[in-house]
Amino acid sequence: MTERLAELSALREQAARGPSARATEAQHAKGKLTARERIELLLDPGSFTEVEQLRRHRATGFGLEANRPYTDGVVTGWGTVDGRTVFVYAHDFRIFGGALGEAHATKIHKIMDLALAAGAPLVSLNDGAGARIQEGVSALAGYGGIFQRNTRASGVIPQISVMLGPCAGGAAYSPALTDFVFMVRDTSQMFITGPDVVRAVTGEEITQNGLGGADVHAGTSGVAHFAYDDEETCLSEVRYLLSMLPSNNRENPPSLPCADPADRSGAALLGLVPADGNRPYDMRKVIEELVDDGDHMEVHERWARNIMCTLARLDGQVVGIVANQPQFLAGVLDIEASEKAARFVQLCDAFNIPIVTLLDVPGFLPGVDQEHGGIIRHGAKLLYAYCNATVPRISIVLRKAYGGAYIVMDSQSIGADLTYAWPTNEIAVMGAEGAANVIFRKQIAAAGDPEAMRARMVKEYKSELMHPYYAAERGLIDDVIDPAGTRAVLISSLAMLRTKHADLPARKHGNPPQ
């Protein structure tokens, strides 16, 4: 037994050490950590339990039978983050470049099945060269099993993909199926066809980072939700995100003790938001004034910047906030903003996170590109997401809320539980100037002084249909509130809604607009 234990210890040490010191040095030279170093940063110290450490592939041909390293290029297991169970798999680029073969895929399948059975989050640390070409179609089938499990777990457990190296071809579809994608600048890339193929087919010259780097996917394509400069910061932020999410869809997000008073006055809001609807301001500062300690985690911060989606806490309870951002495109809804917000609303609804919507929206962005790009179809995604959501929903109109965009942004008519407005609100079909030009077109044209008549008609329209209490008088909002008391109103309203229950009609699933 002693000899056997010594043999086992030696095998474990060999598996943990990896292929060679030279391979480790090469990984570090690229500014990248090893798979085990990454797991140590992600999980609580000493909490990692590895699964199938001694697994080796059984493939033959092309020299594979003479190269059978332990782990087969992926480290799998579970541990804890802030004491809560989290499952993880990490590609080891030192072994076969992290490429996926049959045994490699089987290990990932098992850990995904365990995560779903245990009802705990799954984090993938991706650093692989795609399918192991030497194993042919068996490797491709392995990806199919991953995609199927990603889909089965969607909306059941949080799935987080952390891109820490290359991810090309079909391999990129697993991260795309998960809830969140993190990337690291300069070291991680994602693309379906690489620069060489692009050059051969289109003649375009482009680098890997220019084609699918972190900044491209965080700011242009919207594939990445978060991008950071180094792995340590990235993994620290993954831990922070996990602290805001429940372990599964049967639980509520974890609450924390809160030292920030629930009735703290937000008098600063009076100076942050101009009464003039045409003047921009930073919605981020409004959110920081409302939430606990001004702390929040913005999702897709650099993509579709005319709308904000962020996770925060109010009195220690996690909330998702959707807010128009007047600093960019005046806060209008366009194709990308609609997609971004719709996905976020669906995520919050799947994981029992109440939704707070802050409105200051002039409408949908007009233009041929938007119409031909399918703004009707994409805007309907946001409408569908809100209408389908059963979590507590509260909306607040800060300033303007015009036309269809007002309805889509969680108005009372599509099911918001509570709707409030500040005294600066303007809820209408369109702005007063545009409305006056339509309604009083003939009078303005016939007037001796058309501009004076237009100004008079605009004033008349505002006084009749756009005063701050018009919607309240008709029961379309529940109350007009003092901006300084917004935090207290939100916290008390969410406390009342905490036990909300909604029954949905029996169906296999809906058919949302695509």
Side-chain angles (χ1 to χ4, degrees):
M1 178 62 72
T2 302
E3 291 178 0
R4 291 297 188 187
L5 287 175
E7 180 184 25
L8 174 61
S9 179
L11 289 176
R12 289 198 186 284
E13 183 180 349
Q14 179 183 343
R17 187 172 58 246
S20 68
R22 182 178 178 182
T24 301
E25 290 171 5
Q27 182 81 346
H28 289 164
K30 298 174 185 174
K32 296 161 63 175
L33 302 175
T34 66
R36 296 181 188 279
E37 289 170 339
R38 291 162 174 166
I39 290 173
E40 288 176 6
L41 285 174
L42 174 67
L43 301 178
D44 296 335
S47 68
F48 182 55
T49 299
E50 190 168 353
V51 176
E52 294 194 353
Q53 183 186 44
L54 302 181
R55 185 75 178 249
R56 300 199 292 178
H57 73 76
R58 297 173 292 182
T60 58
F62 306 102
L64 285 177
E65 63 274 9
N67 186 12
R68 300 179 62 227
Y70 292 110
T71 74
D72 200 45
V74 64
V75 180
T76 59
W78 72 87
T80 60
V81 172
D82 297 327
R84 300 165 63 217
T85 299
V86 172
F87 288 80
V88 61
Y89 68 86
H91 299 296
D92 191 341
F93 195 82
R94 301 172 302 168
I95 298 174
F96 298 124
L100 181 138
E102 184 180 17
H104 182 121
T106 303
K107 289 180 65 175
I108 295 175
H109 296 168
K110 177 165 186 173
I111 212 66
M112 295 179 80
D113 290 341
L114 283 172
L116 190 58
L122 174 71
V123 179
S124 62
L125 305 179
N126 297 271
D127 185 7
R132 196 174 299 170
I133 299 172
Q134 301 93 321
E135 295 195 30
V137 72
S138 296
L140 296 179
Y143 275 122
I146 293 173
F147 302 158
Q148 182 198 37
R149 288 166 173 82
N150 284 139
T151 304
R152 192 190 310 160
S154 180
V156 181
I157 58 173
Q159 298 180 84
I160 300 174
S161 298
V162 188
M163 315 311 296
L164 301 166
C167 184
Y173 282 112
S174 176
L177 288 169
T178 60
D179 300 304
F180 296 99
V181 176
F182 287 72
M183 293 188 74
V184 176
R185 293 184 179 91
D186 298 326
T187 59
S188 62
Q189 302 89 28
M190 298 173 67
F191 36 70
I192 299 300
T193 56
D196 292 342
V197 177
V198 171
R199 186 185 308 112
V201 174
T202 70
E204 296 173 284
E205 293 284 346
I206 194 166
T207 64
Q208 287 195 349
N209 280 321
L211 182 62
D215 288 327
V216 169
H217 286 311
T220 303
S221 72
V223 170
H225 300 78
F226 307 96
Y228 299 100
D229 291 330
D230 57 80
E231 294 189 17
E232 291 83 358
T233 303
C234 181
L235 292 170
S236 174
E237 291 299 295
V238 174
R239 286 178 59 91
Y240 180 52
L241 175 61
L242 285 167
S243 75
M244 310 278 275
L245 301 174
S247 292
N248 56 66
N249 65 341
R250 300 183 302 277
E251 299 180 5
N252 290 323
S255 60
L256 293 178
C258 179
D260 193 351
D263 59 354
R264 169 172 57 79
S265 173
L269 292 169
L270 302 177
L272 286 176
V273 181
D276 181 357
N278 293 320
R279 289 179 57 193
Y281 62 93
D282 189 355
M283 183 64 81
R284 187 173 288 103
K285 293 182 178 179
V286 174
I287 292 172
E288 290 170 356
E289 186 65 29
L290 293 175
V291 302
D292 293 354
D293 304 311
D295 192 21
H296 63 102
M297 187 174 195
E298 189 173 349
V299 178
H300 273 143
E301 180 180 356
R302 297 176 55 207
W303 181 61
R305 300 174 75 179
N306 41 319
I307 201 162
M308 289 184 64
C309 299
T310 192
L311 293 168
R313 280 189 165 86
L314 284 168
D315 200 30
Q317 305 292 328
V318 177
V319 296
I321 300 175
V322 179
N324 305 108
Q325 174 56 289
Q327 274 198 332
F328 298 95
L329 296 176
V332 297
L333 287 179
D334 60 4
I335 288 172
E336 291 185 346
S338 299
E339 288 194 339
K340 171 179 169 178
R343 172 78 167 172
F344 184 74
V345 168
Q346 288 173 336
L347 173 104
C348 291
D349 188 49
F351 292 114
N352 307 313
I353 300 173
I355 302 167
V356 173
T357 304
L358 305 178
L359 285 88
D360 192 346
V361 58
F364 283 94
L365 181 65
V368 174
D369 289 345
Q370 289 290 308
E371 296 295 345
H372 289 185
I375 184 61
I376 296 172
R377 175 167 54 88
H378 293 285
K381 294 178 184 178
L382 180 55
L383 180 59
Y384 187 99
Y386 269 124
C387 290
N388 200 48
T390 61
V391 292
R393 291 155 48 192
I394 300 174
S395 65
I396 301 179
V397 180
L398 277 59
R399 292 197 309 188
K400 54 190 175 296
Y402 295 159
Y406 155 65
I407 301 172
V408 167
M409 290 285 292
D410 208 19
S411 63
Q412 188 182 95
S413 61
I414 66 168
D417 297 296
L418 291 168
T419 56
Y420 300 106
W422 287 4
T424 46
N425 82 82
E426 292 182 354
I427 304 174
V429 174
M430 62 176 67
E433 288 77 9
N437 287 335
V438 172
I439 299 173
F440 307 111
R441 180 177 64 256
K442 292 181 179 179
Q443 293 94 316
I444 293 172
D449 186 346
E451 289 304 318
M453 176 61 74
R454 180 180 289 105
R456 176 184 163 192
M457 293 298 99
V458 167
K459 184 176 180 180
E460 180 178 330
Y461 183 83
K462 281 186 174 181
S463 65
E464 289 293 326
L465 296 176
M466 290 182 65
H467 61 80
Y469 310 104
Y470 184 85
E473 290 171 359
R474 285 152 181 79
L476 299 176
I477 59 173
D478 293 296
D479 201 4
V480 178
I481 62 173
D482 180 352
T486 303
R487 172 176 165 84
V489 169
L490 284 173
I491 288 173
S492 64
S493 299
L494 288 168
M496 179 275 293
L497 290 168
R498 199 161 294 144
T499 55
K500 174 186 175 182
H501 175 74
D503 290 318
L504 292 174
R507 61 181 176 183
K508 187 175 181 180
H509 56 74
N511 186 24
Q514 298 296 325

